[in-house]
Amino acid sequence: AVVAHAVASGAGFVEDLDESFKENRKDDIWLVDFYAPWCGHCKKLEPVWNEVGIEMKNMGSPVKVGKMDATSFSSIASEFGVRGYPTIKLLKGDLAYNYRGPRTKDDIIEFANRVAGPLIRPLPSQHMFEHVQKRHRVLFVYVGGESPLKEKYIEVASELIVYTYFFSASEDVLPEYVTLPELPAVVVFKDGTYFVYDEYEDGDLSSWINRERFQGYLNVDGFTLYELGDTGKLVAIAVIDDKNSSVEHTRLKSIIQEVARDYQDHFHRDFQFGHMDGNDYINSLLMDDLTIPTIVVLNTSNQQYFLPDRHIENTEDMVQFINNILDGTAEAQGGDGLLQRVKRIIYDAKSTVMSVFKSSPLLGCFLFGLPLGVISIMCYGICTADTDGGVDEHEAAKKENGDRELTDEGSEEEQEEEKNGKYTELSDGELKQKDIMEKKKD
């Protein structure tokens, strides 16, 4: 009851915004939830949003928390680029940053604090560097003075601050084990090691940071896999059941972890490693039923996937499988061709029908049985109407022919009368001729 009261009172720390917000917002930093009253996801987010309002107020954050009914103020929502509900944005001056992470209190607050703060955060000492490194699993640092690389770094940070932190430091602040080939440099610290950006090998700085913003090994879910699609990396996943503690499940997970750790220098540019709990999501993605535990490698850029052609017994087998993918000898399945798209449409339709029947058989029968019944009745009516029409036309034609025969020939009585009439007419003529001859004779 106390928790429920606290969450309900949190609404007092969340401001209801109206049309005046457009003119008054630029003096402050705002974290805004654009929602629709009828949206189920928005209703689910509401108590979490109230908790965010309480927490931000208690910590003395300069960020104000608000919410706006995007259906009532659609012009303002459209101006901020709202396309779905709920949409969470942090508005800072003329800039608007979209939040795309999990809808939990801690994740939303972490996003707000990161984006609301300085774009590039300085690290003035080794102590500060160590403190920051303990707090963040992935850390990007610019090392050096003013340069074109720093300008590019600031530009990329303004775009990707929604995902990760950006820092700057002098070379003497970095740990002693760090060796830089030249200055200035951009370095990412993660997984107990570091990688230096190389323009010739890594390409564009923005693309490199986007690829390296994840740890080498992840617990992969549907949302994470969607985010990994922007990196261009292949994703090697051990598909297991986290609740199953059998040897095979733990062994495959350990193999993927060992490859991610021991071969990171070889594969970190091209591969992302992790494990996924259960095969429901992966089955829908591959349109196939994978038996778990198993290992699959996904190419999220073109929806291709690779399955081992033999059982993965150890780390060496996994490394060989990865090398086969890299050199093109492993067989790719799936893809985004026309046949696969048609297959996807059929699979999605089938999955939708099955899910409806599983969740509510009566609703499934009504939704799909009623239209089929109506179509069947219409088809039966059309076929029946054609058959009856054909019989009627045949009977009408037969009757018409019969009438025509009767009209042309007449009945037997009429023919007999006609014969009698002709006979009578001929008899009278002969009588007249006889009378004339008799008169001439007389």
Side-chain angles (χ1 to χ4, degrees), residues 5 9 37 44 78 108 118 125-126 161 167 230 237 256 281 302 336 367 383-384 389-390 395:
H5 175 72
S9 64
K44 187 177 180 180
S78 178
I108 294 173
S125 64
Q126 288 187 356
I161 188 67
F167 297 89
D230 295 333
I237 304 174
I256 295 293
Y281 184 83
N302 60 8
D336 54 2
L367 291 177
C383 295
T384 304
E395 293 294 335

PDB file of all heavy atoms in Angstrom, residues 5 9 37 44 78 108 118 125-126 161 167 230 237 256 281 302 336 367 383-384 389-390 395:
ATOM      1  N   HIS A   5       0.969   4.028  -2.917  1.00  0.00           N
ATOM      2  CA  HIS A   5       0.727   5.441  -2.627  1.00  0.00           C
ATOM      3  C   HIS A   5       1.865   6.312  -3.148  1.00  0.00           C
ATOM      4  O   HIS A   5       1.651   7.388  -3.691  1.00  0.00           O
ATOM      5  CB  HIS A   5       0.567   5.634  -1.119  1.00  0.00           C
ATOM      6  CG  HIS A   5       0.439   7.082  -0.713  1.00  0.00           C
ATOM      7  ND1 HIS A   5      -0.703   7.814  -0.968  1.00  0.00           N
ATOM      8  CD2 HIS A   5       1.327   7.921  -0.090  1.00  0.00           C
ATOM      9  CE1 HIS A   5      -0.525   9.052  -0.513  1.00  0.00           C
ATOM     10  NE2 HIS A   5       0.695   9.140   0.028  1.00  0.00           N
ATOM     11  N   SER A   9       1.515   9.177  -5.882  1.00  0.00           N
ATOM     12  CA  SER A   9       1.904  10.550  -5.580  1.00  0.00           C
ATOM     13  C   SER A   9       2.978  11.048  -6.518  1.00  0.00           C
ATOM     14  O   SER A   9       3.198  12.245  -6.649  1.00  0.00           O
ATOM     15  CB  SER A   9       2.401  10.653  -4.137  1.00  0.00           C
ATOM     16  OG  SER A   9       3.576   9.879  -3.955  1.00  0.00           O
ATOM     17  N   PRO A  37      -4.049   8.180 -24.810  1.00  0.00           N
ATOM     18  CA  PRO A  37      -4.864   7.633 -23.707  1.00  0.00           C
ATOM     19  C   PRO A  37      -5.306   6.193 -23.927  1.00  0.00           C
ATOM     20  O   PRO A  37      -5.477   5.440 -22.971  1.00  0.00           O
ATOM     21  CB  PRO A  37      -6.069   8.587 -23.656  1.00  0.00           C
ATOM     22  CG  PRO A  37      -5.594   9.847 -24.302  1.00  0.00           C
ATOM     23  CD  PRO A  37      -4.611   9.420 -25.354  1.00  0.00           C
ATOM     24  N   LYS A  44       0.962   0.997 -19.357  1.00  0.00           N
ATOM     25  CA  LYS A  44       1.948   0.188 -18.645  1.00  0.00           C
ATOM     26  C   LYS A  44       3.141   1.036 -18.213  1.00  0.00           C
ATOM     27  O   LYS A  44       3.746   0.798 -17.158  1.00  0.00           O
ATOM     28  CB  LYS A  44       2.407  -0.961 -19.549  1.00  0.00           C
ATOM     29  CG  LYS A  44       3.310  -1.968 -18.864  1.00  0.00           C
ATOM     30  CD  LYS A  44       3.651  -3.105 -19.818  1.00  0.00           C
ATOM     31  CE  LYS A  44       4.569  -4.120 -19.140  1.00  0.00           C
ATOM     32  NZ  LYS A  44       4.910  -5.244 -20.063  1.00  0.00           N
ATOM     33  N   SER A  78       3.793  16.146 -33.606  1.00  0.00           N
ATOM     34  CA  SER A  78       4.304  15.954 -34.955  1.00  0.00           C
ATOM     35  C   SER A  78       5.558  16.783 -35.189  1.00  0.00           C
ATOM     36  O   SER A  78       6.490  16.339 -35.863  1.00  0.00           O
ATOM     37  CB  SER A  78       3.225  16.332 -35.973  1.00  0.00           C
ATOM     38  OG  SER A  78       3.703  16.212 -37.286  1.00  0.00           O
ATOM     39  N   ILE A 108      15.882   4.586 -17.914  1.00  0.00           N
ATOM     40  CA  ILE A 108      15.414   5.898 -18.376  1.00  0.00           C
ATOM     41  C   ILE A 108      16.162   7.015 -17.650  1.00  0.00           C
ATOM     42  O   ILE A 108      16.569   8.015 -18.269  1.00  0.00           O
ATOM     43  CB  ILE A 108      13.891   6.026 -18.153  1.00  0.00           C
ATOM     44  CG1 ILE A 108      13.140   5.033 -19.059  1.00  0.00           C
ATOM     45  CG2 ILE A 108      13.425   7.449 -18.437  1.00  0.00           C
ATOM     46  CD1 ILE A 108      11.657   4.960 -18.801  1.00  0.00           C
ATOM     47  N   PRO A 118      27.238  17.148 -19.914  1.00  0.00           N
ATOM     48  CA  PRO A 118      28.144  17.609 -20.981  1.00  0.00           C
ATOM     49  C   PRO A 118      28.287  16.564 -22.078  1.00  0.00           C
ATOM     50  O   PRO A 118      28.253  15.354 -21.814  1.00  0.00           O
ATOM     51  CB  PRO A 118      29.471  17.826 -20.245  1.00  0.00           C
ATOM     52  CG  PRO A 118      29.119  17.941 -18.803  1.00  0.00           C
ATOM     53  CD  PRO A 118      27.907  17.091 -18.606  1.00  0.00           C
ATOM     54  N   SER A 125      42.188  13.220 -13.973  1.00  0.00           N
ATOM     55  CA  SER A 125      43.188  12.472 -13.205  1.00  0.00           C
ATOM     56  C   SER A 125      43.008  10.979 -13.409  1.00  0.00           C
ATOM     57  O   SER A 125      41.956  10.515 -13.864  1.00  0.00           O
ATOM     58  CB  SER A 125      43.056  12.802 -11.712  1.00  0.00           C
ATOM     59  OG  SER A 125      41.790  12.374 -11.218  1.00  0.00           O
ATOM     60  N   GLN A 126      44.042  10.227 -13.019  1.00  0.00           N
ATOM     61  CA  GLN A 126      43.959   8.758 -13.084  1.00  0.00           C
ATOM     62  C   GLN A 126      42.893   8.231 -12.139  1.00  0.00           C
ATOM     63  O   GLN A 126      42.205   7.252 -12.451  1.00  0.00           O
ATOM     64  CB  GLN A 126      45.327   8.146 -12.755  1.00  0.00           C
ATOM     65  CG  GLN A 126      46.373   8.330 -13.836  1.00  0.00           C
ATOM     66  CD  GLN A 126      47.640   7.553 -13.528  1.00  0.00           C
ATOM     67  OE1 GLN A 126      47.773   6.934 -12.464  1.00  0.00           O
ATOM     68  NE2 GLN A 126      48.604   7.578 -14.457  1.00  0.00           N
ATOM     69  N   ILE A 161      25.239  10.089 -28.266  1.00  0.00           N
ATOM     70  CA  ILE A 161      25.192  10.253 -26.818  1.00  0.00           C
ATOM     71  C   ILE A 161      23.992   9.499 -26.226  1.00  0.00           C
ATOM     72  O   ILE A 161      23.973   9.165 -25.043  1.00  0.00           O
ATOM     73  CB  ILE A 161      25.116  11.760 -26.451  1.00  0.00           C
ATOM     74  CG1 ILE A 161      25.256  11.976 -24.938  1.00  0.00           C
ATOM     75  CG2 ILE A 161      23.816  12.363 -26.954  1.00  0.00           C
ATOM     76  CD1 ILE A 161      26.605  11.625 -24.397  1.00  0.00           C
ATOM     77  N   PHE A 167      34.223  10.710 -23.323  1.00  0.00           N
ATOM     78  CA  PHE A 167      35.149  11.396 -22.423  1.00  0.00           C
ATOM     79  C   PHE A 167      36.357  11.894 -23.205  1.00  0.00           C
ATOM     80  O   PHE A 167      36.601  11.481 -24.345  1.00  0.00           O
ATOM     81  CB  PHE A 167      35.613  10.448 -21.315  1.00  0.00           C
ATOM     82  CG  PHE A 167      34.502   9.968 -20.425  1.00  0.00           C
ATOM     83  CD1 PHE A 167      33.776   8.820 -20.739  1.00  0.00           C
ATOM     84  CD2 PHE A 167      34.185  10.654 -19.269  1.00  0.00           C
ATOM     85  CE1 PHE A 167      32.757   8.383 -19.927  1.00  0.00           C
ATOM     86  CE2 PHE A 167      33.157  10.225 -18.443  1.00  0.00           C
ATOM     87  CZ  PHE A 167      32.451   9.088 -18.773  1.00  0.00           C
ATOM     88  N   ASP A 230      22.331  -2.531 -36.371  1.00  0.00           N
ATOM     89  CA  ASP A 230      22.960  -1.310 -36.878  1.00  0.00           C
ATOM     90  C   ASP A 230      24.479  -1.398 -36.898  1.00  0.00           C
ATOM     91  O   ASP A 230      25.138  -0.535 -37.484  1.00  0.00           O
ATOM     92  CB  ASP A 230      22.541  -0.109 -36.023  1.00  0.00           C
ATOM     93  CG  ASP A 230      21.048   0.186 -36.129  1.00  0.00           C
ATOM     94  OD1 ASP A 230      20.465  -0.143 -37.182  1.00  0.00           O
ATOM     95  OD2 ASP A 230      20.478   0.745 -35.176  1.00  0.00           O
ATOM     96  N   ILE A 237      25.449 -16.745 -31.533  1.00  0.00           N
ATOM     97  CA  ILE A 237      24.603 -16.917 -30.349  1.00  0.00           C
ATOM     98  C   ILE A 237      24.529 -18.387 -29.966  1.00  0.00           C
ATOM     99  O   ILE A 237      24.322 -19.262 -30.823  1.00  0.00           O
ATOM    100  CB  ILE A 237      23.173 -16.405 -30.617  1.00  0.00           C
ATOM    101  CG1 ILE A 237      23.199 -14.945 -31.079  1.00  0.00           C
ATOM    102  CG2 ILE A 237      22.305 -16.533 -29.380  1.00  0.00           C
ATOM    103  CD1 ILE A 237      21.838 -14.425 -31.489  1.00  0.00           C
ATOM    104  N   ILE A 256      31.070 -20.169 -26.316  1.00  0.00           N
ATOM    105  CA  ILE A 256      30.891 -18.836 -26.893  1.00  0.00           C
ATOM    106  C   ILE A 256      31.612 -17.787 -26.039  1.00  0.00           C
ATOM    107  O   ILE A 256      32.273 -16.874 -26.569  1.00  0.00           O
ATOM    108  CB  ILE A 256      29.399 -18.488 -27.013  1.00  0.00           C
ATOM    109  CG1 ILE A 256      28.700 -19.425 -28.009  1.00  0.00           C
ATOM    110  CG2 ILE A 256      29.206 -17.046 -27.467  1.00  0.00           C
ATOM    111  CD1 ILE A 256      29.131 -19.254 -29.432  1.00  0.00           C
ATOM    112  N   TYR A 281      11.996 -16.624 -30.075  1.00  0.00           N
ATOM    113  CA  TYR A 281      12.301 -15.467 -30.930  1.00  0.00           C
ATOM    114  C   TYR A 281      13.152 -15.881 -32.121  1.00  0.00           C
ATOM    115  O   TYR A 281      12.917 -15.441 -33.249  1.00  0.00           O
ATOM    116  CB  TYR A 281      13.019 -14.384 -30.119  1.00  0.00           C
ATOM    117  CG  TYR A 281      13.274 -13.130 -30.909  1.00  0.00           C
ATOM    118  CD1 TYR A 281      12.285 -12.157 -31.048  1.00  0.00           C
ATOM    119  CD2 TYR A 281      14.495 -12.915 -31.546  1.00  0.00           C
ATOM    120  CE1 TYR A 281      12.500 -11.008 -31.783  1.00  0.00           C
ATOM    121  CE2 TYR A 281      14.712 -11.765 -32.289  1.00  0.00           C
ATOM    122  CZ  TYR A 281      13.722 -10.814 -32.405  1.00  0.00           C
ATOM    123  OH  TYR A 281      13.944  -9.684 -33.152  1.00  0.00           O
ATOM    124  N   ASN A 302      21.305  -8.806 -43.813  1.00  0.00           N
ATOM    125  CA  ASN A 302      20.572  -9.399 -44.941  1.00  0.00           C
ATOM    126  C   ASN A 302      19.742 -10.620 -44.541  1.00  0.00           C
ATOM    127  O   ASN A 302      19.274 -11.362 -45.401  1.00  0.00           O
ATOM    128  CB  ASN A 302      21.540  -9.789 -46.057  1.00  0.00           C
ATOM    129  CG  ASN A 302      22.576 -10.813 -45.604  1.00  0.00           C
ATOM    130  OD1 ASN A 302      22.502 -11.361 -44.489  1.00  0.00           O
ATOM    131  ND2 ASN A 302      23.548 -11.081 -46.450  1.00  0.00           N
ATOM    132  N   ASP A 336      17.190 -12.248 -47.839  1.00  0.00           N
ATOM    133  CA  ASP A 336      16.075 -11.337 -48.063  1.00  0.00           C
ATOM    134  C   ASP A 336      15.617 -11.347 -49.518  1.00  0.00           C
ATOM    135  O   ASP A 336      15.103 -10.353 -50.034  1.00  0.00           O
ATOM    136  CB  ASP A 336      16.464  -9.911 -47.656  1.00  0.00           C
ATOM    137  CG  ASP A 336      17.740  -9.437 -48.333  1.00  0.00           C
ATOM    138  OD1 ASP A 336      18.300 -10.205 -49.144  1.00  0.00           O
ATOM    139  OD2 ASP A 336      18.175  -8.305 -48.067  1.00  0.00           O
ATOM    140  N   LEU A 367     -13.327 -15.119 -35.855  1.00  0.00           N
ATOM    141  CA  LEU A 367     -12.608 -14.257 -36.788  1.00  0.00           C
ATOM    142  C   LEU A 367     -12.368 -14.919 -38.134  1.00  0.00           C
ATOM    143  O   LEU A 367     -12.464 -14.275 -39.180  1.00  0.00           O
ATOM    144  CB  LEU A 367     -11.268 -13.815 -36.185  1.00  0.00           C
ATOM    145  CG  LEU A 367     -11.335 -12.846 -35.007  1.00  0.00           C
ATOM    146  CD1 LEU A 367      -9.940 -12.571 -34.473  1.00  0.00           C
ATOM    147  CD2 LEU A 367     -12.000 -11.537 -35.416  1.00  0.00           C
ATOM    148  N   CYS A 383     -22.849 -21.110 -57.638  1.00  0.00           N
ATOM    149  CA  CYS A 383     -22.861 -22.372 -58.398  1.00  0.00           C
ATOM    150  C   CYS A 383     -24.279 -22.888 -58.589  1.00  0.00           C
ATOM    151  O   CYS A 383     -24.645 -23.358 -59.671  1.00  0.00           O
ATOM    152  CB  CYS A 383     -22.008 -23.419 -57.678  1.00  0.00           C
ATOM    153  SG  CYS A 383     -20.253 -23.005 -57.605  1.00  0.00           S
ATOM    154  N   THR A 384     -25.102 -22.799 -57.553  1.00  0.00           N
ATOM    155  CA  THR A 384     -26.485 -23.273 -57.639  1.00  0.00           C
ATOM    156  C   THR A 384     -27.277 -22.433 -58.634  1.00  0.00           C
ATOM    157  O   THR A 384     -28.057 -22.948 -59.427  1.00  0.00           O
ATOM    158  CB  THR A 384     -27.151 -23.220 -56.256  1.00  0.00           C
ATOM    159  OG1 THR A 384     -26.369 -23.978 -55.345  1.00  0.00           O
ATOM    160  CG2 THR A 384     -28.558 -23.782 -56.317  1.00  0.00           C
ATOM    161  N   GLY A 389     -30.226 -22.011 -63.658  1.00  0.00           N
ATOM    162  CA  GLY A 389     -30.422 -21.196 -64.855  1.00  0.00           C
ATOM    163  C   GLY A 389     -30.258 -22.003 -66.108  1.00  0.00           C
ATOM    164  O   GLY A 389     -30.979 -21.853 -67.077  1.00  0.00           O
ATOM    165  N   GLY A 390     -29.281 -22.908 -66.128  1.00  0.00           N
ATOM    166  CA  GLY A 390     -29.042 -23.750 -67.303  1.00  0.00           C
ATOM    167  C   GLY A 390     -30.229 -24.659 -67.566  1.00  0.00           C
ATOM    168  O   GLY A 390     -30.644 -24.840 -68.695  1.00  0.00           O
ATOM    169  N   GLU A 395     -35.253 -25.971 -70.614  1.00  0.00           N
ATOM    170  CA  GLU A 395     -36.689 -26.237 -70.657  1.00  0.00           C
ATOM    171  C   GLU A 395     -37.398 -25.187 -71.507  1.00  0.00           C
ATOM    172  O   GLU A 395     -38.314 -25.504 -72.271  1.00  0.00           O
ATOM    173  CB  GLU A 395     -37.257 -26.232 -69.227  1.00  0.00           C
ATOM    174  CG  GLU A 395     -36.759 -27.392 -68.357  1.00  0.00           C
ATOM    175  CD  GLU A 395     -37.257 -28.730 -68.881  1.00  0.00           C
ATOM    176  OE1 GLU A 395     -38.303 -28.753 -69.559  1.00  0.00           O
ATOM    177  OE2 GLU A 395     -36.594 -29.742 -68.613  1.00  0.00           O
TER     178      GLU A 395
END
